Amino acid sequence: MDEHERRLLKEPFREIKVKVPVRMDDGSLEIFQGFRVQHNGARGPFKGGIRYSLHVNEAEVRALAEVMTWKTALVNIPFGGAKGGVTCDPLQLSKGELERLTRKFTAQIRHVLGPMRDIPAPDMGTNSQVMAWILDEYSSRQGYSPACVTGKPIELGGSLGRDRATGRGVVMILGEHMRDAGRSLQGLRVVIQGFGNVGSKVALLLADQGAEIVAVGDIFGAVAGHDGRGLPVRELADHVKRTGSVVGFADAEAIDNEALLFLECDVLVPAASECVLNEENADRVRAKVIAEAANLPTTPDADAMLARKRITVLPDILTNAGGVIVSYFEWVQNLQQKPWEESTVRKELQRRMLETYRDVTHLAAHQGVTLRRIAYSLAVERVLRAEEKRGA
Ligand code: NAD
């Protein structure tokens, strides 16, 4: 790329920072900060999740918005990339406070949202209920607009299979990679960091296919199966539903949260936050494969270290794209007012995930470079071509 092209792709289209005042249950007024970054819309409306976390800041949202541009381009769905968030601790807010925060945030950024402008979805700290409030707040001013947000409850036009889509996509990519390596998911020893929407679904789907989930961690701590054996994942998921954390699960041993990343295993699945594999710790990773379910879990330095150690990294923009692919299906169903069967969602998801996987692995083998490098170059090329056709 020349300098002009590089700047064209690097600079976000629009960045918004808003004040989000919320009346708390005790009567006090709390001021939160909200962000929406629309990185690139050359290939279609902006698309990306809304995150509620104490770590949300401009730089994080900007980086995650850019990742969405490459992800939607790589899997070739007609969207651009965006991300948003509010700096808050959702676990400390009551349901009423969360609703007021979501409605106020939506009202502050409503002018840049819309089914043909920018379509939010769930991310860390948000869920289908938060999407329902966004839909209601947006529709109350603009008229009934189910396609203005994805990851909604089914009752409001959500897609069957959306809640499991990211996890299912991760398992599809991992299954295909193992098949290429002459193995199956049966008996695979897997460690998962993060047991939220994505991590828990990956654990349950992998366990269904005979993999052993040997250890799991969340923000509060980590647990491992007794004597290196797999955890009873369904019981663990019930425990997390009841208590909010994997910590204290009776049928397991407590282990150190950071040590989780360095356990010997076949596959490590980071499914929590960014930069957890970095130059300080990547040399201690003992997994053979890393399946990036989280966005940006590996820093560039760590990526190079892992490549030198011949650890295969299944990159985020490929591996966790199932969520945005089914979000696209949800948007299509909303625009056409025609719901799909879950079997159709699953079949179409599989077709798109595996087609992309084949393209990426074929080129990577041909050119002798990493999967991430090919995934990024395919995506960048598609966005650049769209920019050029538009006359940039
Ligand atoms: P979530 O809020 O449902 O769950 C996050 C999990 O990570 C929780 O178990 C939390 O305790 C844990 N966690 C957070 N910070 C941690 C830390 N520092 N150390 C250890 N554990 C930590 O979020 P989610 O929707 O499952 O998203 C997880 C990751 O997947 C994020 O990177 C997100 O951007 C990415 N992602 C999500 C989707 C989706 O459809 N939800 C799609 C693509 C990518």
Side-chain angles (χ1 to χ4, degrees), residues 51 123-125 162 166 194-198 218-219 271-272 293-295 320:
R51 177 175 288 197
D123 192 71
M124 260 172 81
R162 171 62 183 89
T166 307
F195 204 73
N197 180 309
V198 179
D218 64 22
I219 196 155
N295 285 310
N320 70 29

Side-chain angles (χ1 to χ4, degrees), residues 129-262:
Q129 176 60 73
V130 173
M131 299 307 115
W133 292 323
I134 294 176
L135 165 70
D136 188 64
E137 188 64 30
Y138 183 86
S139 296
S140 68
R141 309 283 182 103
Q142 312 290 135
Y144 178 60
S145 317
C148 77
V149 66
T150 59
K152 302 178 285 290
I154 305 293
E155 297 84 340
L156 297 178
S159 177
L160 292 169
R162 171 62 183 89
D163 57 342
R164 262 150 294 159
T166 307
R168 200 179 284 288
V170 172
V171 172
M172 284 172 181
I173 295 294
L174 187 57
E176 213 52 20
H177 174 73
M178 285 301 149
R179 202 188 322 261
D180 284 352
R183 285 193 64 176
S184 75
L185 295 175
Q186 182 77 36
L188 209 65
R189 295 173 61 73
V190 182
V191 171
I192 303 178
Q193 185 197 42
F195 204 73
N197 180 309
V198 179
S200 67
K201 302 297 183 320
V202 170
L204 289 162
L205 290 165
L206 279 176
D208 282 349
Q209 300 205 39
E212 288 200 48
I213 312 303
V214 291
V216 166
D218 64 22
I219 196 155
F220 304 107
V223 292
H226 292 298
D227 307 320
R229 279 180 281 125
L231 290 158
V233 179
R234 233 154 261 288
E235 287 79 357
L236 177 62
D238 288 341
H239 171 83
V240 172
K241 215 173 265 168
R242 277 197 314 276
T243 66
S245 170
V246 300
V247 173
F249 178 54
D251 199 2
E253 283 165 30
I255 59 165
D256 179 69
N257 218 350
E258 167 119 31
L260 180 85
L261 299 173
F262 315 131

Side-chain angles (χ1 to χ4, degrees), residues 24 42 46 67 185 212-213 249 307 327 368 372 378 380 382 388:
M24 307 303 279
F46 299 100
V67 168
L185 295 175
E212 288 200 48
I213 312 303
F249 178 54
S327 274
R372 192 188 314 276
L378 281 172
V380 166
R382 269 187 199 138
E388 280 164 3

Side-chain angles (χ1 to χ4, degrees), residues 208-355:
D208 282 349
Q209 300 205 39
E212 288 200 48
I213 312 303
V214 291
V216 166
D218 64 22
I219 196 155
F220 304 107
V223 292
H226 292 298
D227 307 320
R229 279 180 281 125
L231 290 158
V233 179
R234 233 154 261 288
E235 287 79 357
L236 177 62
D238 288 341
H239 171 83
V240 172
K241 215 173 265 168
R242 277 197 314 276
T243 66
S245 170
V246 300
V247 173
F249 178 54
D251 199 2
E253 283 165 30
I255 59 165
D256 179 69
N257 218 350
E258 167 119 31
L260 180 85
L261 299 173
F262 315 131
L263 292 175
E264 199 163 353
C265 59
D266 293 311
V267 184
L268 172 64
V269 183
S273 56
E274 298 86 59
C275 303
V276 293
L277 298 173
N278 49 54
E279 54 283 19
E280 317 259 288
N281 65 15
D283 57 340
R284 283 185 277 158
V285 172
R286 291 190 292 162
K288 298 185 185 79
V289 175
I290 294 172
E292 292 186 336
N295 285 310
L296 298 173
T298 312
T299 66
D301 286 341
D303 207 34
M305 288 161 78
L306 296 170
R308 276 199 297 277
K309 286 176 63 152
R310 301 204 169 278
I311 295 175
T312 302
V313 180
L314 302 171
D316 51 2
I317 59 171
L318 167 68
T319 309
N320 70 29
V324 77
I325 291 176
V326 176
S327 274
Y328 165 57
F329 299 160
E330 183 174 328
W331 180 76
V332 169
Q333 293 170 67
N334 295 152
L335 292 179
Q336 299 185 337
Q337 289 290 301
K338 189 171 181 292
W340 298 4
E341 303 279 339
E342 183 160 4
S343 57
T344 310
V345 171
R346 204 186 293 187
K347 201 171 79 211
E348 284 296 306
L349 172 64
Q350 171 145 358
R351 189 176 65 75
R352 283 181 182 263
M353 291 298 291
L354 299 192
E355 257 175 35

Side-chain angles (χ1 to χ4, degrees), residues 31-212:
I31 311 271
F32 296 92
Q33 253 180 2
F35 305 89
R36 186 73 181 168
V37 175
Q38 298 173 332
H39 175 256
N40 188 293
R43 299 182 63 263
F46 299 100
K47 185 88 191 84
I50 303 266
R51 177 175 288 197
Y52 288 173
S53 148
L54 280 175
H55 299 287
V56 165
N57 60 43
E58 273 155 312
E60 183 185 84
V61 177
R62 191 180 298 140
L64 292 167
E66 185 179 331
V67 168
M68 288 307 294
T69 300
W70 311 134
K71 196 185 297 181
T72 53
L74 175 66
V75 295
N76 213 358
I77 53 178
F79 287 135
K83 202 81 176 190
V86 178
T87 316
C88 66
D89 183 352
L91 299 179
Q92 298 302 321
L93 299 176
S94 70
K95 192 168 178 199
E97 289 166 344
L98 264 181
E99 176 171 356
R100 293 194 288 282
L101 174 111
T102 303
R103 288 188 183 279
K104 184 60 93 174
F105 177 51
T106 308
Q108 313 285 53
I109 62 168
R110 198 188 58 238
H111 58 294
V112 301
L113 301 182
M116 292 298 156
R117 283 174 183 267
D118 185 348
I119 307 133
D123 192 71
M124 260 172 81
T126 60
N127 55 23
S128 60
Q129 176 60 73
V130 173
M131 299 307 115
W133 292 323
I134 294 176
L135 165 70
D136 188 64
E137 188 64 30
Y138 183 86
S139 296
S140 68
R141 309 283 182 103
Q142 312 290 135
Y144 178 60
S145 317
C148 77
V149 66
T150 59
K152 302 178 285 290
I154 305 293
E155 297 84 340
L156 297 178
S159 177
L160 292 169
R162 171 62 183 89
D163 57 342
R164 262 150 294 159
T166 307
R168 200 179 284 288
V170 172
V171 172
M172 284 172 181
I173 295 294
L174 187 57
E176 213 52 20
H177 174 73
M178 285 301 149
R179 202 188 322 261
D180 284 352
R183 285 193 64 176
S184 75
L185 295 175
Q186 182 77 36
L188 209 65
R189 295 173 61 73
V190 182
V191 171
I192 303 178
Q193 185 197 42
F195 204 73
N197 180 309
V198 179
S200 67
K201 302 297 183 320
V202 170
L204 289 162
L205 290 165
L206 279 176
D208 282 349
Q209 300 205 39
E212 288 200 48

